[in-house]
Amino acid sequence: MAGEERRFKIGYALLPKKENSFIRESLVNQAKSRGIDLVKIDRERPLVDQGPFDCVLHKLYGEDWKSQLEDFRSRNPGAVIIDSPDAIERLHNRISMLQVVSELKIENQSETFGIPKQIVIYDQETLFDKQAWELLKFPVIAKPLVADGSAKSHKMALVFNHEGLNKLKPPIVLQEFVNHGGVIFKVYVVGEYVKCVKRKSLPDVSEEKLNSLEGSLPFSQVSNLATHEKSDDKYYKMMHLEDTELPPQSFMTDIAKGLRRAMNLNLFNFDVIRDTRFGNRYLIIDINYFPGYAKMPGYETVLTDFFCDIMNRKEREVVVVEKH
């Protein structure tokens, strides 16, 4: 029918927990009002038998899903897949995840960025080999090498001395713990959009305190750390999150753009800390694919804008092809 608005269908394939937090009525309605229908993909049926979809939005892993996407793409060459499974896979390994940071070239006179010193330990033997440790000194953060979003991949520990190594199970990444004023910055990226927020993090560890601490302290995600020490409650009350200055927005945007291009991903966030030894040095400690966007104020508008951008770009490409 002439003049009828073209509607776009975005199929989404997410695990139940992600779906519950992300696909809210408020998002579905806002997208609908702008010509985009969000449709749940039935994971019990082959993807190629569903749709038609202009775009597939997903956060599922595994060889079966990957081959379903490839099959779908070969039959629907015009459809957009957000994002490519191969590009996402790079973030499942905590070493390859941060390699991309060292490849970035960003011109900035006043701020610098990098990653903490880190080593990967594949077996128990290397864990207790002093030579393997030459790069690092305590305290260190021990993180599982695999970062696939599972509960297990979030289990970390702050290790204060060699005794604390006993509880660790390789393969793991050991990352130097850098004092950062107890605040972590989470930078959310949705296509061109970049938003930086502050969260509480692990308290600083002084040289004196280090000597009196036992072995290690387990925790899950740094930003929602709940330790059992009463002294830390006092520490958090003293530490006013609102007094912490955010990193310069333009600097974070430049890093986000660089990462987006280098990783070929649209939906991710990265965790940044400010190294208290140098006020203008920032360290990227983690990158996550398709994070909890619903925690971001007004996420519905941000995501709907992104969907519209993707669809508009797709339409422009179709027009260009037709002209040829």
Side-chain angles (χ1 to χ4, degrees):
M1 272 159 55
E4 190 177 306
E5 185 204 9
R6 158 96 160 93
R7 295 195 71 80
F8 292 99
K9 256 192 188 170
I10 296 184
Y12 62 86
L14 304 168
L15 290 173
K17 193 176 164 198
K18 173 61 84 184
E19 190 182 313
N20 291 340
S21 69
F22 182 76
I23 304 287
R24 294 185 179 171
E25 207 177 328
S26 49
L27 174 66
V28 174
N29 291 342
Q30 187 161 156
K32 194 173 276 178
S33 72
R34 292 178 62 187
I36 289 174
D37 298 317
L38 292 170
V39 181
K40 180 174 176 162
I41 289 169
D42 180 352
R43 289 169 52 212
E44 302 300 312
R45 288 170 52 214
L47 179 58
V48 285
D49 298 346
Q50 300 180 61
F53 299 121
D54 297 285
C55 171
V56 171
L57 177 75
H58 73 103
K59 191 181 182 180
L60 296 180
Y61 308 125
E63 288 309 310
D64 173 58
W65 174 245
K66 205 169 155 181
S67 63
Q68 284 203 52
L69 279 176
E70 279 162 13
D71 206 5
F72 175 82
R73 181 181 267 144
S74 65
R75 295 201 207 180
N76 304 276
V80 181
I81 308 279
I82 300 173
D83 277 310
S84 142
D86 290 337
I88 297 168
E89 226 154 80
R90 185 174 191 171
L91 296 186
H92 286 180
N93 173 305
R94 284 205 160 89
I95 291 291
S96 63
M97 172 200 289
L98 294 181
Q99 267 166 352
V100 66
V101 178
S102 37
E103 295 161 17
L104 294 188
K105 300 277 178 282
I106 289 169
E107 294 301 317
N108 192 298
Q109 304 310 308
S110 47
E111 276 84 25
T112 64
F113 71 98
I115 62 174
K117 287 181 189 148
Q118 55 179 22
I119 55 174
V120 62
I121 304 275
Y122 290 104
D123 52 50
Q124 228 47 50
E125 208 179 326
T126 319
L127 190 54
F128 295 99
D129 176 0
K130 293 274 201 304
Q131 273 182 315
W133 274 77
E134 280 179 337
L135 264 178
L136 292 178
K137 62 182 184 53
F138 290 107
V140 295
I141 288 190
K143 305 177 175 186
L145 178 62
V146 175
D148 58 2
S150 65
K152 201 171 98 187
S153 72
H154 286 307
K155 284 200 162 58
M156 306 181 199
L158 181 56
V159 183
F160 304 114
N161 51 36
H162 279 281
E163 178 204 333
L165 299 175
N166 294 320
K167 293 179 185 160
L168 304 179
K169 291 184 177 63
I172 50 170
V173 172
L174 298 175
Q175 201 175 67
E176 73 172 323
F177 175 74
V178 175
N179 284 335
H180 53 279
V183 178
I184 192 167
F185 304 104
K186 287 190 136 1
V187 184
Y188 290 95
V189 182
V190 182
E192 304 276 333
Y193 178 88
V194 179
K195 172 80 177 167
C196 181
V197 299
K198 302 180 265 198
R199 296 271 188 273
K200 287 180 178 179
S201 174
L202 291 167
D204 288 352
V205 178
S206 65
E207 290 288 336
E208 305 85 65
K209 197 175 171 189
L210 188 58
N211 300 327
S212 65
L213 290 163
E214 311 250 316
S216 64
L217 168 75
F219 62 94
S220 59
Q221 281 134 310
V222 172
S223 59
N224 52 17
L225 171 77
T227 61
H228 310 295
E229 287 185 34
K230 281 286 161 270
S231 60
D232 285 343
D233 290 350
K234 285 204 293 261
Y235 172 87
Y236 282 133
K237 288 200 177 73
M238 263 165 38
M239 186 192 74
H240 298 296
L241 206 52
E242 59 275 13
D243 295 347
T244 304
E245 205 179 319
L246 283 169
Q249 175 69 26
S250 59
F251 185 49
M252 289 298 112
T253 302
D254 286 348
I255 292 177
K257 272 191 187 149
L259 287 174
R260 191 174 151 226
R261 271 198 302 270
M263 300 190 302
N264 197 21
L265 292 174
N266 289 289
L267 301 175
F268 61 95
N269 75 353
F270 55 101
D271 293 346
V272 181
I273 57 173
R274 186 187 280 127
D275 189 335
T276 51
R277 294 167 297 187
F278 325 92
N280 61 349
R281 178 150 180 82
Y282 294 90
L283 299 174
I284 295 167
I285 57 170
D286 225 340
I287 306 173
N288 307 290
Y289 182 65
F290 204 146
Y293 285 118
K295 294 185 193 126
M296 204 170 70
Y299 91 104
E300 298 90 344
T301 307
V302 173
L303 269 297
T304 302
D305 286 347
F306 168 67
F307 296 149
C308 290
D309 280 352
I310 294 278
M311 293 302 108
N312 291 338
R313 207 174 313 147
K314 181 179 177 311
E315 283 295 87
R316 283 198 300 274
E317 282 166 11
V318 169
V319 170
V320 169
V321 169
E322 282 170 358
K323 278 184 180 165
H324 284 292

